[in-house]
Amino acid sequence: MIKIKSSPILWATFVAFALAPVMGGVFMLILQDSEALAKAGALAIKANAMNFEANWVSYFDILIQAVGVGGVMVFGFVISWVFGREYSDGTAKDLLVLPTSRITILNAKFMVYVIWCFALAVSNLLAGLIIGTLLQLPATDIALLIPKLTSYAVTTALTVIVGIPIAFFALYGKGYLAPLGFVALTLVFAQVIAAIGYGSYFPWSIPGLYSGAGGEYRLLLNHYSYTILVLTGAAGYLTTTIYWKRADQTK
């Protein structure tokens, strides 16, 4: 945690992730102006396809989709940094000589990853509330927002879980390149596989589908989808711990 507090990467991730509520605010601003919406082109098509309106419910939908799609990339960057930094800095061997078990070190890193990601999600939620208030979005029944908050929390959890296997690639690749390459591949495949209708069985497509970014494709999600996602996260954790315990650390 001390390393994170001293690193500019921490604030860079918060700034990068904050683009979602900012862009959502721009979206709401355009929706509030019918003339501007008519000139918005692709944005107007998207708004009509998703039935977005200038209100809190639609704004929360945008935030949820941002976590389900953009979170895969940002959270992937976070876990790549948390697990790959010691190799890039050449301090991994120093870490291993500490009088602390390897599993404890690994679990501490996973805890940092989870806390960091949920902090990002909470910061975006707070930023969204501030921006929505400044835009004077019409007041709505809190009962309508509770399901949205639940979906936001669940989408965040799904995105965090699906990012766990990236830790293995950071350790195996001994740095940032391998995990970031894996993140890029999963983003591409998530889009392609979801587009052909099999995203409900591809772990990295599931958070985006659950968020509603895929529209009616969300209906394809079932208990097999969530089981696959959880098993992917568990397999990523087990693979990472086994490799961390048994690998010959020479860097």
Side-chain angles (χ1 to χ4, degrees):
M1 293 297 292
I2 295 175
K3 284 186 177 180
I4 294 174
K5 288 170 59 179
S6 305
S7 174
I9 294 296
L10 174 66
W11 304 114
T13 57
F14 277 90
V15 171
F17 207 41
L19 290 176
V22 171
M23 292 305 298
V26 173
F27 206 94
M28 290 294 108
L29 191 61
I30 293 174
L31 287 173
Q32 287 176 328
D33 186 341
S34 57
E35 293 184 3
L37 180 61
K39 299 176 182 177
L43 189 60
I45 295 173
K46 174 71 174 178
N48 292 327
M50 303 300 292
N51 294 319
F52 283 149
E53 299 175 359
N55 56 39
W56 283 106
V57 172
S58 292
Y59 194 25
F60 270 78
D61 282 337
I62 292 173
L63 295 180
I64 294 168
Q65 293 178 22
V67 172
V69 179
V72 174
M73 181 177 66
V74 177
F75 293 179
F77 177 82
V78 168
I79 196 168
S80 298
W81 188 86
V82 170
F83 283 84
R85 174 178 176 171
E86 273 81 15
Y87 291 106
S88 297
D89 292 347
T91 57
K93 289 187 293 185
D94 300 333
L95 189 66
L96 293 171
V97 299
L98 295 174
T100 306
S101 73
R102 291 190 176 191
I103 294 301
T104 300
I105 294 172
L106 201 69
N107 287 338
K109 285 181 173 289
F110 276 118
M111 288 181 62
V112 168
Y113 162 65
V114 173
I115 293 171
W116 191 338
C117 292
F118 274 95
L120 286 169
V122 171
S123 72
N124 263 17
L125 191 61
L126 294 175
L129 291 173
I130 294 172
I131 293 171
T133 302
L134 292 175
L135 292 175
Q136 299 182 334
L137 294 179
T140 188
D141 190 343
I142 190 65
L144 294 176
L145 296 182
I146 290 177
K148 298 299 179 183
L149 288 171
T150 302
S151 294
Y152 188 78
V154 173
T155 303
T156 301
L158 294 177
T159 310
V160 169
I161 293 172
V162 86
I164 291 175
I166 298 169
F168 167 77
F169 291 94
L171 299 183
Y172 184 77
K174 293 181 170 48
Y176 304 127
L177 291 180
L180 291 178
F182 180 76
V183 171
L185 281 177
T186 57
L187 284 171
V188 172
F189 281 112
Q191 297 297 320
V192 173
I193 294 174
I196 60 177
Y198 292 98
S200 57
Y201 300 109
F202 186 64
W204 290 272
S205 297
I206 293 172
L209 293 179
Y210 182 85
S211 73
E216 62 183 10
Y217 283 113
R218 178 176 178 171
L219 301 176
L220 297 176
L221 294 176
N222 51 46
H223 62 281
Y224 292 113
S225 307
Y226 303 114
T227 301
I228 289 171
L229 185 141
V230 172
L231 289 177
T232 300
Y237 176 78
L238 290 174
T239 306
T240 304
T241 53
I242 292 172
Y243 180 81
W244 181 248
K245 287 176 64 176
R246 298 184 178 180
D248 181 18
Q249 306 287 351
T250 58
K251 185 176 179 180

